[in-house]
Amino acid sequence: MNIRHSSRAVMMMALVWASGLTAQPIQLEKLEKKTILLFSPHPDDDTFCCAGTLALLAKRANNIHIFIYTNDDKGSYDPEMTSERLGRIRKAEEEEACRIVGIPKENIHWLQFHDGMLEYASPRDLVEQVTKIIRAYRPDVVLSIDPGSEYVRWHKTDHRMSANNTMDAIRAAEWHLYFPNQRLHDGLAPWKVPMEALFYVTPKDANYWVNVDDVFDVKLAASLAHVSQWEPAIRKYRVDWDPKELDALKQKLKARAPKKDGHFVEAFRIRGRFNQP
Amino acid sequence: MNIRHSSRAVMMMALVWASGLTAQPIQLEKLEKKTILLFSPHPDDDTFCCAGTLALLAKRANNIHIFIYTNDDKGSYDPEMTSERLGRIRKAEEEEACRIVGIPKENIHWLQFHDGMLEYASPRDLVEQVTKIIRAYRPDVVLSIDPGSEYVRWHKTDHRMSANNTMDAIRAAEWHLYFPNQRLHDGLAPWKVPMEALFYVTPKDANYWVNVDDVFDVKLAASLAHVSQWEPAIRKYRVDWDPKELDALKQKLKARAPKKDGHFVEAFRIRGRFNQP
Amino acid sequence: MNIRHSSRAVMMMALVWASGLTAQPIQLEKLEKKTILLFSPHPDDDTFCCAGTLALLAKRANNIHIFIYTNDDKGSYDPEMTSERLGRIRKAEEEEACRIVGIPKENIHWLQFHDGMLEYASPRDLVEQVTKIIRAYRPDVVLSIDPGSEYVRWHKTDHRMSANNTMDAIRAAEWHLYFPNQRLHDGLAPWKVPMEALFYVTPKDANYWVNVDDVFDVKLAASLAHVSQWEPAIRKYRVDWDPKELDALKQKLKARAPKKDGHFVEAFRIRGRFNQP
Amino acid sequence: MNIRHSSRAVMMMALVWASGLTAQPIQLEKLEKKTILLFSPHPDDDTFCCAGTLALLAKRANNIHIFIYTNDDKGSYDPEMTSERLGRIRKAEEEEACRIVGIPKENIHWLQFHDGMLEYASPRDLVEQVTKIIRAYRPDVVLSIDPGSEYVRWHKTDHRMSANNTMDAIRAAEWHLYFPNQRLHDGLAPWKVPMEALFYVTPKDANYWVNVDDVFDVKLAASLAHVSQWEPAIRKYRVDWDPKELDALKQKLKARAPKKDGHFVEAFRIRGRFNQP
Amino acid sequence: MNIRHSSRAVMMMALVWASGLTAQPIQLEKLEKKTILLFSPHPDDDTFCCAGTLALLAKRANNIHIFIYTNDDKGSYDPEMTSERLGRIRKAEEEEACRIVGIPKENIHWLQFHDGMLEYASPRDLVEQVTKIIRAYRPDVVLSIDPGSEYVRWHKTDHRMSANNTMDAIRAAEWHLYFPNQRLHDGLAPWKVPMEALFYVTPKDANYWVNVDDVFDVKLAASLAHVSQWEPAIRKYRVDWDPKELDALKQKLKARAPKKDGHFVEAFRIRGRFNQP
Amino acid sequence: MNIRHSSRAVMMMALVWASGLTAQPIQLEKLEKKTILLFSPHPDDDTFCCAGTLALLAKRANNIHIFIYTNDDKGSYDPEMTSERLGRIRKAEEEEACRIVGIPKENIHWLQFHDGMLEYASPRDLVEQVTKIIRAYRPDVVLSIDPGSEYVRWHKTDHRMSANNTMDAIRAAEWHLYFPNQRLHDGLAPWKVPMEALFYVTPKDANYWVNVDDVFDVKLAASLAHVSQWEPAIRKYRVDWDPKELDALKQKLKARAPKKDGHFVEAFRIRGRFNQP
């Protein structure tokens, strides 16, 4: 007899009852021909945290879509910069970073909030919007910012709303009675995301590390495609790098890149079958 | 000389000054003929976390009232289910669970929010509403979800708002200048809740455990009265259990039930005299 | 070659990459002739946490400004008290406490929210307002409530909004494209706060302690200037102390005052160059 | 054959199609033993507009309930006045005015908003609240502020929200699928208000006039029971009138009282079977 | 010399200066092969007001798209009805009505709000959403509810928000600096709607009448396709009509249908070049 | 005996009682050495409606302050235009227009909202902000947009919020119990605005006309100082006019300028002693 017990009731009781359940995560970087969605607050968080993993996944014919909450049109010290122009620059940089990683620009989707303003969006509308995306794409994996393993982690504008909202949408997407007009008008069935891989994890929360040795240079190149996020272009915009400065920065970043057991890694917290905690 | 110093000033200073104060909690399960309020986000959180304790308290002639923020009308995988019907089912299940525990259905109060939508309620209105409840009932104990001993814990829809809101209302209820129309128009005096017992605690935050050995079967029965929260009814609703499935699930749950020192327990974090931290 | 790399990109990568960067905080209490802003949720949090440090800084010709989010017009058990009167009392007490510490009352600025209502303010407007203050004063140091080193810490009304909002405003103040009308209409340039000293820290988050032995009596006097926050005035308002009661309380507080290595201290978490985490 | 066609479809089409339908209003002041609800933004609008009609209705054993949105705690020029005290004064004055008219104080219900703040209430919550009242009392007549016969009339704080909200709640109360938790949890059936009598009408919108000759003195006395709304008490509060001043004011008001065809009248716009326009 | 002066400045001055400008509206019903958008609060307002005009336009190869703000899932007296089911019924009825008129169901777009809840949507988000639709379709004509020629007309839930929002979106769509992310991320250029035809006009505001003699039966059939909006199905749902009842209702409606100069007409207020008033 | 009766009670009763009161407006354009505040939604509404009146008032040594709600940074068809740049242009144009009229640029105050976004501001905060301005300046006259003599007139973004908000703030400013922290913390006394002159009136609402024959050229020059609001600069920005185009436009505007009894006029609705209607 093989009774599957309700994830919800078991999940809630697992919070207070002794639990023998342990997640048996699939090996993230070995996935093939799957649909993978990544939700990022800004066009660079995806690159800085996941470019290596994405590059590995792109090579294995996965269908990767990047959803970016904000257009990142505020973060420049250049006094001549305007938001309109910075938005264009950041879009181009994201497209270039994705190209390096192996993701076509058609797969980049912008939720069109302004930088720093995501916190002030209507939270109900935002959950509904992302729930629709999840039900439409029916992803095998969602990558998103870790809201914290047990506590609400973020007090950084955009990151907090992004982290919580993606989680709430994953939860809502599972039940057809949430936002039922999506079934009625769009023909979208509910969808339970089988795997969540959360980035921006603290060291104590990480439970999964992807070895990115083979794609480390790709990751570095993608990170540095966000030219306007780095000195000197963040102070006085220029479209490209001085080769010497670029080289120096590469060395510096390489020296500081996170390692585990002698390998370059990207850290995640994998959430398996249970949404909570 | 017996000077009681202001709880507020001492409380705040206690955060930064060395404190010799320790809570001396009353023994929760030994209370008799007291007024006890429990605030629950959904009609099952109370049962899953506290049914044993409630059963013990009900036996001792305590006046227990359950306030449930939402009607839980979303959480079913059954494609034929409607929110209207699920709301009715969940109400009946809660009434049955409470009956098993020993609480009459007249003592169940619904705040009438829809499942998953509590986060989007007006927080000010919600605090005012629960403050009025507290001032009207003047409870000796409030049971509620733990918002976290030091950090904001929840990123689960409804749980977070419920945890924070009950706490904020407890705080507001104490001071007559909060929501003064309740004194003016309803004749309600301020009320300082003497004891807060918080459930859904993490293991490291728990500081009190109720031995529920004597009522463990009651607890199990009450938990299973929430038929629609479990397999198979969560996928294809049926009003009752297949006896064999029920028996198997009971064994499974009993095996996993939280124990301490060889006894079945329910864990709490007791907050005594000080609201904070 | 002396390349400064973008704080933002490095900051974000530092969350996921191994970081060799360590804050080298300036010695807070040794500052002279600097501009120092303190943001406090209520008119007493500044005193209870920082009066000693402020007294030391005031002696060294620093230009200290206190910004208080709420007027604290709710927290009295006195049934005859009104909010209007309590607001006046609390204002006078704050002015007296600041006078004792060495800060003129012209340097106290009220953001004019009512006690307990800061959570319900428009968060976007509140960030804009405090961003303008920071850009106008261009402080060398900001003192504010610690929102938590890694997690969102507060579930106390006013404290949470105050902690997060000041942090968000510090972040926004740095980038001219946030709230650009402040540059256009007020001629305000962006400002990057060089040092943040956060109070109401938990013991495990504190990383800096100011020795306040020399000003401990000043701190005690300032704390007790908030007469209406203490017994017996919090229950039945009186404008001054019974000398005996005052003396007893002083002894009690002195006995409990936080110490480190045998000295009276005030604890902080210093955040240096990086906004995050 | 007696087919009643849907009020809704006919109503909407009546806006664009030529309509032969005319309201056949019941004679308002002749009602007996009916349930009558009046919704007023402040505790005086009911008196100033409807005291005569209410007095006539009270004599005929109607069950009249007054619901007052705000507590009117702002409108005094007396510099010594506090909101707390003004709220108490206004409550007592309303009770006295109702007593004069013949309505017991148990039938006065306060929705507990502060004066001038109704516009900032959550409109969804407010509609839900008043919908519940209507479903619970099942009134034969609702008296409320006229939102305008065709256009939205009000730009006065509180009056606008009150006018629109009562109308929206009347509409929602009729359909059981609005706020279905009221049926589920409170056992409240939907209710279609058979008659709406709207006050504060413009002369061109009025379509019904109640002759109040017989109760004009009652109306005058009730109006003047709101002592604090008039000179001199509005500038320097006193609990009662100088008899000479009172007499002069009575003469003045009597001279200006609205008349029609030689009789003292109160004007209304009766809306009959159709909610709209 | 042929100087076109700014519509905006002239428009604003036209409000206060004597104006010689008069709208020269295109003949609405003679349009061919144009793109026409209709915005309707519920799935029946379009039919009741415009079915004749739409039928004429559909015959002339216009590309007509219907955007419906809400799903109309509340308006039934049938006690057995659920919102889920009513939403399905209303969707099918709208599709049938459009089919009769000559509009394929692919051209019906649902904005997915629940009935009666549009007022509580985020107004900023709603304008942004409809602005995007206008920029994407670049319509030659927009049909929408008349917000009033000079005053804000509506105090009916959903109608008001719908009327104002469509107007605000038309205005915003014209200027590329509103919601600039639509240009940046979606490649959408601004679009100035050349003609607005507003329905639900009052008789005094109407300035254009479409003769619908030739399609009156089509209009009647389309109106009656909304079975659940009429007696008896509004009280006890049935999917079709009793032929006798249907015939009686048809006669009744025909007798009341709006006429002008002996012809069946649909009335509009045409707004031409100027957005305002 | 000289009894002044409460404006409020009389005002409210005047709505339903026959009123013999008539406004006796001061002659607006004859005022001298008064404080005059004008509230404008955008930096051009003041000029287009009131430049002549302002020029007359400026000559008579009145202290005129212009408060502009938004920065008007959206309304350009120029595809190269950015919001940042347009904001700067509009600010400079307003300063130039005011200079021509005789108002120094120090007297222009920007409330710093973005164009088209005023509707989405927190209405409570906005009223509080303008109430503070009124209490601080204690104006003899306020000029603002007419919200409608009886009905709410505006459905144009920014104009509606601006019209209603200024009116609400005038009302709130009068009563010290509104926003009492302004008295407590800023020492601001309540202020009753003696005269309101409302512009953007409809012809039927106007009740006062200022003869601007003597300053008509000033008005024309000021209007044309808003270069970017007119063709051709609204399509392709240029800082100045082609002299020939300018001349042609002047002729055209002069021909259309509003006249009464053969004189150039500016129309207003004067509200005298009573706030309502």
Side-chain angles (χ1 to χ4, degrees), chain A residues 143-164:
Chain A
L143 292 101
S144 185
I145 288 198
D146 191 357
S149 63
E150 207 174 26
Y151 291 101
V152 181
R153 184 178 168 211
W154 291 97
H155 38 78
K156 178 170 190 319
T157 322
D158 299 337
H159 282 225
R160 171 150 179 196
M161 184 62 116
S162 163
N164 284 331

Side-chain angles (χ1 to χ4, degrees), chain B residues 4-9 12-13 16-18 148 150-152 160 164 168 171 174-178, chain C residues 74-78 116 152-155 157 159-160 200 202 204-205 229-231 249 252-253 256 258:
Chain B
R4 289 167 307 159
H5 293 292
S6 154
S7 67
R8 174 167 172 162
M12 298 317 297
M13 299 195 80
V16 280
W17 288 33
E150 207 173 27
Y151 292 99
V152 180
R160 171 151 178 194
N164 284 331
D168 285 351
R171 195 177 290 123
E174 177 180 345
W175 307 100
H176 70 87
L177 294 171
Y178 275 93
Chain C
K74 302 277 175 57
S76 172
Y77 298 118
D78 186 340
V152 181
R153 185 178 168 212
W154 291 97
H155 37 79
T157 324
H159 282 226
R160 172 151 177 194
Y200 277 144
T202 59
K204 78 171 164 39
D205 287 335
Q229 304 277 8
W230 301 92
E231 297 279 358
L249 177 56
K252 197 167 173 180
L253 289 171
R256 287 183 190 160

Side-chain angles (χ1 to χ4, degrees), chain D residues 53 123 259:
Chain D
T53 304
K259 290 194 166 187

Side-chain angles (χ1 to χ4, degrees), chain E:
Chain E
M1 203 173 78
N2 182 17
I3 304 167
R4 289 166 306 158
H5 293 293
S6 155
S7 68
R8 171 162 177 169
V10 172
M11 163 188 105
M12 297 319 297
M13 299 196 79
L15 286 169
V16 281
W17 288 33
S19 169
L21 302 171
T22 54
Q24 298 282 5
I26 324 152
Q27 263 195 285
L28 173 61
E29 68 276 29
K30 296 289 160 57
L31 293 170
E32 284 184 1
K33 298 183 186 170
K34 299 295 187 189
T35 296
I36 294 166
L37 304 190
L38 184 151
F39 290 89
S40 182
H42 307 102
D44 67 357
D45 297 308
D46 53 336
T47 310
F48 293 165
C49 297
C50 308
T53 304
L54 292 173
L56 292 171
L57 289 167
K59 283 183 188 175
R60 301 172 78 94
N62 290 288
N63 181 27
I64 306 171
H65 288 266
I66 310 291
F67 291 85
I68 304 178
Y69 280 99
T70 76
N71 69 350
D72 212 18
D73 61 350
K74 302 277 175 57
S76 171
Y77 298 118
D78 186 340
E80 302 303 312
M81 186 57 69
T82 67
S83 280
E84 279 87 351
R85 188 177 166 218
L86 188 57
R88 286 195 299 274
I89 290 168
R90 295 276 155 90
K91 177 167 176 274
E93 291 175 352
E94 174 70 9
E95 288 173 358
E96 174 62 9
C98 281
R99 191 196 58 75
I100 291 169
V101 163
I103 298 168
K105 75 177 171 187
E106 299 75 40
N107 287 20
I108 307 171
H109 309 269
W110 301 83
L111 273 66
Q112 305 193 355
F113 289 88
H114 290 283
D115 192 18
M117 295 295 124
L118 194 67
E119 300 304 321
Y120 318 124
S122 158
R124 195 197 159 289
D125 291 1
L126 201 60
V127 167
E128 185 168 4
Q129 185 178 9
V130 174
T131 299
K132 186 181 280 195
I133 291 167
I134 292 171
R135 288 174 174 172
Y137 282 86
R138 306 175 75 77
D140 298 286
V141 182
V142 166
L143 293 101
S144 185
I145 289 197
D146 191 358
S149 64
E150 207 174 27
Y151 293 101
V152 181
R153 184 179 170 210
W154 291 97
H155 37 80
K156 180 173 189 319
T157 322
D158 298 337
H159 282 226
R160 171 152 179 194
M161 183 62 116
S162 163
N164 285 331
N165 185 70
T166 307
M167 198 64 63
D168 285 351
I170 287 171
R171 196 177 290 122
E174 177 180 345
W175 308 98
H176 70 87
L177 294 172
Y178 274 93
F179 310 122
N181 289 327
Q182 299 182 354
R183 187 161 70 146
L184 175 59
H185 297 304
D186 298 324
L188 293 173
W191 180 249
K192 190 167 189 330
V193 175
M195 185 187 197
E196 301 165 44
L198 304 170
F199 52 91
Y200 279 143
V201 288
T202 60
K204 76 170 167 37
D205 287 336
N207 63 7
Y208 194 84
W209 294 264
V210 174
N211 179 330
V212 295
D213 285 345
D214 293 349
V215 289
F216 187 78
D217 288 344
V218 171
K219 173 167 188 167
L220 209 51
S223 296
L224 295 167
H226 295 281
V227 181
S228 70
Q229 303 278 7
W230 300 91
E231 296 281 354
I234 201 169
R235 291 197 186 273
K236 176 78 191 115
Y237 180 67
R238 47 176 292 176
V239 74
D240 52 13
W241 291 92
D242 175 297
K244 271 206 304 201
E245 283 187 357
L246 181 62
D247 195 58
L249 178 56
K250 276 187 179 175
Q251 296 313 317
K252 197 166 172 182
L253 289 171
K254 195 158 191 172
R256 286 182 190 161
K259 290 194 167 188
K260 189 175 164 67
D261 306 331
H263 297 285
F264 290 115
V265 292
E266 288 175 348
F268 295 93
R269 182 163 70 87
I270 303 289
R271 301 213 312 165
R273 203 177 150 215
F274 299 102
N275 275 339
Q276 180 74 29

Side-chain angles (χ1 to χ4, degrees), chain F residues 7-61:
Chain F
S7 67
R8 173 167 174 166
V10 173
M11 162 187 104
M12 297 319 297
M13 299 195 80
L15 287 170
V16 281
W17 288 35
S19 170
L21 303 171
T22 54
Q24 298 281 3
I26 325 153
Q27 261 195 287
L28 174 62
E29 69 275 28
K30 295 289 160 57
L31 294 170
E32 285 184 1
K33 298 183 186 170
K34 299 294 185 189
T35 297
I36 293 167
L37 304 192
L38 184 151
F39 290 89
S40 182
H42 307 102
D44 65 358
D45 298 308
D46 53 335
T47 310
F48 292 165
C49 296
C50 309
T53 305
L54 292 173
L56 292 171
L57 290 167
K59 283 184 187 174
R60 300 173 78 93

Side-chain angles (χ1 to χ4, degrees), chain F residues 260-271:
Chain F
K260 190 176 163 68
D261 305 330
H263 297 286
F264 290 115
V265 292
E266 288 176 347
F268 295 92
R269 183 163 69 87
I270 302 290
R271 300 213 314 165

Side-chain angles (χ1 to χ4, degrees), chain F residues 161-230:
Chain F
M161 184 62 116
S162 162
N164 284 331
N165 185 70
T166 307
M167 198 63 64
D168 286 350
I170 287 171
R171 196 177 291 121
E174 177 180 345
W175 307 99
H176 68 87
L177 294 172
Y178 275 93
F179 310 122
N181 289 328
Q182 298 181 354
R183 186 161 70 146
L184 175 59
H185 297 304
D186 298 325
L188 293 173
W191 179 248
K192 191 167 188 332
V193 175
M195 185 188 196
E196 300 164 45
L198 303 170
F199 52 91
Y200 277 143
V201 288
T202 60
K204 76 172 168 36
D205 287 336
N207 64 7
Y208 194 82
W209 295 264
V210 174
N211 179 329
V212 295
D213 285 345
D214 293 350
V215 288
F216 186 79
D217 288 344
V218 171
K219 173 168 186 166
L220 208 51
S223 296
L224 295 168
H226 296 280
V227 180
S228 70
Q229 303 278 8
W230 300 92

Side-chain angles (χ1 to χ4, degrees), chain B residues 231-263:
Chain B
E231 297 279 356
I234 200 169
R235 294 199 183 270
K236 177 75 191 120
Y237 181 67
R238 47 177 291 177
V239 74
D240 52 13
W241 290 94
D242 175 298
K244 270 206 304 199
E245 283 187 357
L246 181 61
D247 195 57
L249 179 56
K250 276 187 182 176
Q251 296 313 317
K252 198 166 172 179
L253 289 172
K254 194 158 189 171
R256 287 185 191 160
K259 290 195 165 186
K260 190 176 163 69
D261 306 331
H263 297 286

